[in-house]
Amino acid sequence: MEQEYILNECSSFEPEHIFECGQCFRWNKQIDGSYTGVFGQNVINVKKENSKIIFKGISSGDIKKECREYFDLDRDYENIKNKLSKVDGNLKSSIKYGSGIRILNQDLWETLISFIISANNNIPRIKGIIERLSKNYGNKIIWNEQEYYTFPTPIQLSKASVEDLRKLGLGFRDVRVYETTRIINENKQKLKQLSDEKDTEKLREVLLEFPGVGPKVADCIMLFSCLKRLEVFPIDVWVRRVMNELYIKNEDETKVNKKEIENLAKEKYGNLAGIAQQYLFYWRREA
DNA sequence: ACCCAGGGTCGTC
DNA sequence: GACGACCCTGGG
């Protein structure tokens, strides 16, 4: 049963910025410029018309409630952008470029597996792998005579052997995804424990125990899932590049010390470093 | 045809 | 702590 939710005024909301800034992998641009994607048991199309945002699709619950939560609509991004714009001209430019970015509240399990897959990988391929996982192990939802697939639950994904995963194109990440799935299924409290953990450092330590989760992936999970740690600053090749170009100016970006970037980010962006990271990432990668 | 890079992690030294 | 290996795909 199709539902609709219309947001009449939302200054910091640009579908392209939100879906192309690298935090999510299941949203696809449509011919009319809108985006369609799957989250939870929802299939939603997001379209911006003038200042209105139209959410339309199939929802497992109340579309308004689901969307307000997922799109982080109760957070004041104007205020955040104002604060971050004062840091320096560089960040101000990146914010201007990605002014409609919002950090999604994505499912923890899906984010865990998705970012294990992201390791030493590129975005088009990551999207393809996650799509195939969903098609093979998730639930089918039909909307507008088209088939969509939810991201598989831990139980659903446990049906996949290492060989199955390799066939779906995961490459060397097959064992990591398999083992992480097994751990989650063997300890039903694990995901809830992670969600309940208040201490960010402790949370990071627990995440690092999963095969395939290193410092970068752990930070992404904490920032892009409902764990919502806006203060963490994931450092990948693009962020290292942009931070080097803007501040450090080392001739060889691969030699830039990670700790130096971390300290710089904390010092400049404080507890909003994660959001700053998204503006910088999107700016450097797209502009 | 060949090489390179991609939202890194892991095992080894 | 540094270093190479790791699967796969698209682009130069």
Side-chain angles (χ1 to χ4, degrees), chain A residues 12 56 60 92 107 171 200 232:
Chain A
S12 295
K56 194 194 289 187
S60 56
K92 192 172 180 178
D107 177 73
T200 298
V232 305

Side-chain angles (χ1 to χ4, degrees), chain A residues 11-250:
Chain A
S11 42
S12 295
F13 194 117
E14 194 60 52
E16 187 164 7
H17 298 173
I18 294 171
F19 300 128
E20 307 286 355
C21 71
Q23 61 177 324
C24 56
F25 303 105
R26 300 217 61 202
W27 290 87
N28 297 306
K29 198 171 200 168
Q30 308 300 303
I31 314 151
D32 64 355
S34 68
Y35 280 80
T36 301
V38 183
F39 65 95
Q41 302 293 310
N42 312 292
V43 179
I44 305 287
N45 175 266
V46 183
K47 187 172 190 175
K48 184 162 187 173
E49 276 184 8
N50 304 316
S51 61
K52 280 187 189 168
I53 313 289
I54 303 161
F55 304 91
K56 194 194 289 187
I58 305 288
S59 178
S60 56
D62 173 33
I63 191 170
K64 176 179 175 182
K65 188 167 173 293
E66 299 281 334
C67 288
R68 292 205 66 84
E69 169 67 20
Y70 182 76
F71 289 97
D72 208 26
L73 294 183
D74 293 313
R75 193 179 308 276
D76 185 354
Y77 280 79
E78 287 302 309
N79 184 31
I80 290 171
K81 287 191 291 185
N82 283 334
K83 281 186 189 165
L84 286 176
S85 291
K86 289 178 185 137
V87 174
D88 59 36
N90 294 325
L91 190 60
K92 192 172 180 178
S93 305
S94 74
I95 290 171
K96 201 170 175 187
Y97 187 79
S99 61
I101 287 177
R102 308 182 79 84
I103 311 271
L104 300 167
N105 288 303
Q106 302 185 80
D107 177 73
L108 174 56
W109 158 250
E110 177 174 344
T111 311
L112 172 62
I113 296 298
S114 297
F115 278 90
I116 288 175
I117 293 167
S118 79
N120 191 222
N121 210 342
N122 55 58
I123 292 178
R125 184 170 167 222
I126 299 165
K127 288 179 80 170
I129 291 170
I130 294 173
E131 202 53 45
R132 290 192 288 281
L133 282 180
S134 302
K135 191 164 187 172
N136 281 272
Y137 300 101
N139 300 328
K140 187 198 290 187
I141 298 176
I142 295 179
W143 181 46
N144 284 346
E145 294 159 2
Q146 276 210 304
E147 294 179 358
Y148 298 90
Y149 297 87
T150 62
F151 189 83
T153 63
I155 305 261
Q156 287 177 322
L157 197 53
S158 72
K159 306 289 185 254
S161 67
V162 175
E163 292 72 24
D164 293 333
L165 295 173
R166 182 56 69 102
K167 278 189 198 125
L168 291 180
L170 276 83
F172 60 79
R173 306 161 196 81
D174 54 0
V175 180
R176 300 174 181 175
V177 168
Y178 180 85
E179 286 298 319
T180 294
T181 303
R182 191 180 55 76
I183 293 168
I184 292 294
N185 277 308
E186 279 175 8
N187 186 350
K188 295 294 178 198
Q189 306 301 314
K190 199 89 179 173
L191 289 170
K192 188 175 167 12
Q193 280 169 11
L194 285 165
S195 303
D196 291 344
E197 179 60 59
K198 299 277 181 256
D199 185 89
T200 298
E201 282 315 307
K202 207 172 277 180
L203 181 59
R204 177 182 278 112
E205 281 175 31
V206 182
L207 286 170
L208 288 172
E209 289 171 11
F210 291 104
V213 178
K216 154 69 171 60
V217 169
D219 282 353
C220 284
I221 296 166
M222 287 195 285
L223 177 58
F224 300 139
S225 76
C226 45
L227 296 176
K228 217 61 186 176
R229 296 306 205 275
L230 300 181
E231 71 274 27
V232 305
F233 193 78
I235 300 170
D236 59 57
V237 291
W238 294 101
V239 173
R240 168 173 304 170
R241 192 166 293 156
V242 69
M243 291 298 276
N244 184 43
E245 287 167 358
L246 295 183
Y247 305 114
I248 302 171
K249 304 184 192 297
N250 192 317

